[in-house]
Amino acid sequence: MHPKIISPTTAEQLPHGLLELLSERPKIFVLTGAGVSAESGLQTFRDKRTGLWAQFDPRRLATADAFVQDAALVWGWYEWRRQELLKAQPNAGHDALAALQSQFPSFTLVTQNVDDLHERAGSSSVVHLHGQLLVSRCFDCGRKQPTPNPAIGHTLTPQRVQPPACVACGGLLRPDVVWFGEELPADELESARKASRECDLFLCIGTSAEVYPAAELPHEAIDAGAMLVVVNEKRTPVDRSAHHVLRGQSGTILPLLERAARFARLRGDL
Ligand code: BJW
Ligand code: ZN
């Protein structure tokens, strides 16, 4: 497929086919990635200049082996990430998705993000495929528990911090996020797969779509007959499978989409 790539600045410039579908009360599936939180000041992962992986080695920080090797290094890095998150606020993109959810009876929001900005913007029933920064679990017994308050003050760079002990067995706490080589939470992945196969409109927003199995979801939706719309500042591997590519920042494009959906539904109601 050769999707038309546009950079809309008004709701009226959105593709006609998309507006028409929005007027028909489609089942909507949204997959978000780090790009949605970039305008809130949180670093993405793979940007060549500003991404976390440009600055930090994921093999030393985001694998179970890394934790076994040097738990204080890993925990300190996540403490720093949590502090960055606590300073951040949802942006116009998060707000627009929360408003869009309130318009459509069937709306599934699946995020790869480990932050809580969708929830803070008012989205409900958010499916976190890669876990959450503010939740911890025991590396030994697996028991989930809230993360104790950050041990260090606001620092500009990560510092080594010894992980706290599990309330149940005294083992070391780890962040309840999905590291490379680990399985995604089974219930979340299953509900995401099911909803992606059942949706009419799949919005793939602010993700490089390079990490599996999340990156399979848009393809499952297309294979089942959905319209795929990509919202991203840059090219991604799913662009070529998309019906429409909306090039730009999610904080600009999603409010247009939300506005267009309101008008399209009004027209559909007439
Ligand atoms: C904007 C914007 C703006 C910016 N507006 N847009 C080869 C082939 C296939 C798979 C594999 C393979 N080799 C290895 C694998 C498996 C691996 C994988 O996929 N690797 C690939 C990288 C190759 N996957 C796994 O290991 C997964 N587990 C697994 O497969 O288990 C199998 C298993 C079976 C049985 C037993 C055991 C295991 C787990 C993957 C976990 C990913 N974890 C992370 C870290 C989470 C914790 C943490 O935060 O520290 O999750 S990695 C990181 O990537 C994070 C993200 O959720 C994830 C996705 O990144 P995302 O969100 O797409 O961010 P970016 O930075 O990549 O992209 C941002 C995008 O936004 C860009 O496109 C920008 O242009 C755009 N943008 N500003 C709009 N304002
Ligand atoms: Zn424990």
Side-chain angles (χ1 to χ4, degrees), residues 138 141 166 169:
C138 177
C141 75
C166 166
C169 77

Side-chain angles (χ1 to χ4, degrees), residues 32-39 43-47 51-53 61-62 77-78 81 111-114 130 133 177-184 205-213 231-236 248-251:
T32 62
V36 166
S37 297
E39 290 159 79
Q43 286 172 257
T44 63
F45 293 92
R46 291 174 184 78
D47 187 279
L52 286 166
W53 298 157
L61 295 162
W77 188 65
Y78 280 97
R81 300 257 314 273
T111 188
Q112 298 166 84
N113 296 346
V114 295
H130 293 163
L133 266 185
V177 298
V178 182
W179 284 328
F180 285 108
E182 294 186 324
E183 281 187 79
L184 275 62
I205 308 171
T207 174
S208 60
E210 286 179 16
V211 174
Y212 288 83
V231 178
N232 201 302
E233 264 185 356
K234 297 193 177 140
R235 286 165 58 168
T236 76
Q249 296 198 311
S250 48

Side-chain angles (χ1 to χ4, degrees), residues 60 65-75 160:
R60 291 184 62 219
D65 279 351
F67 191 79
V68 171
Q69 288 293 315
D70 193 342
L73 180 80
V74 173
W75 185 263
R160 299 168 63 84

Side-chain angles (χ1 to χ4, degrees), residues 175-199:
D176 188 30
V177 298
V178 182
W179 284 328
F180 285 108
E182 294 186 324
E183 281 187 79
L184 275 62
D187 290 351
E188 279 81 351
L189 182 58
E190 187 42 43
S191 76
R193 285 210 159 113
K194 185 168 181 294
S196 72
R197 287 192 294 260
E198 290 172 357
C199 72

Side-chain angles (χ1 to χ4, degrees), residues 199-257:
C199 72
D200 305 305
L201 173 61
F202 189 112
L203 301 172
C204 187
I205 308 171
T207 174
S208 60
E210 286 179 16
V211 174
Y212 288 83
E216 289 166 358
L217 295 170
H219 300 285
E220 296 200 13
I222 286 202
D223 290 348
M227 176 187 283
L228 173 62
V229 176
V230 172
V231 178
N232 201 302
E233 264 185 356
K234 297 193 177 140
R235 286 165 58 168
T236 76
V238 285
D239 289 8
R240 79 170 82 89
S241 310
H243 296 82
H244 302 287
V245 175
L246 308 179
R247 180 75 72 237
Q249 296 198 311
S250 48
T252 304
I253 295 196
L254 294 178
L256 301 181
L257 199 70

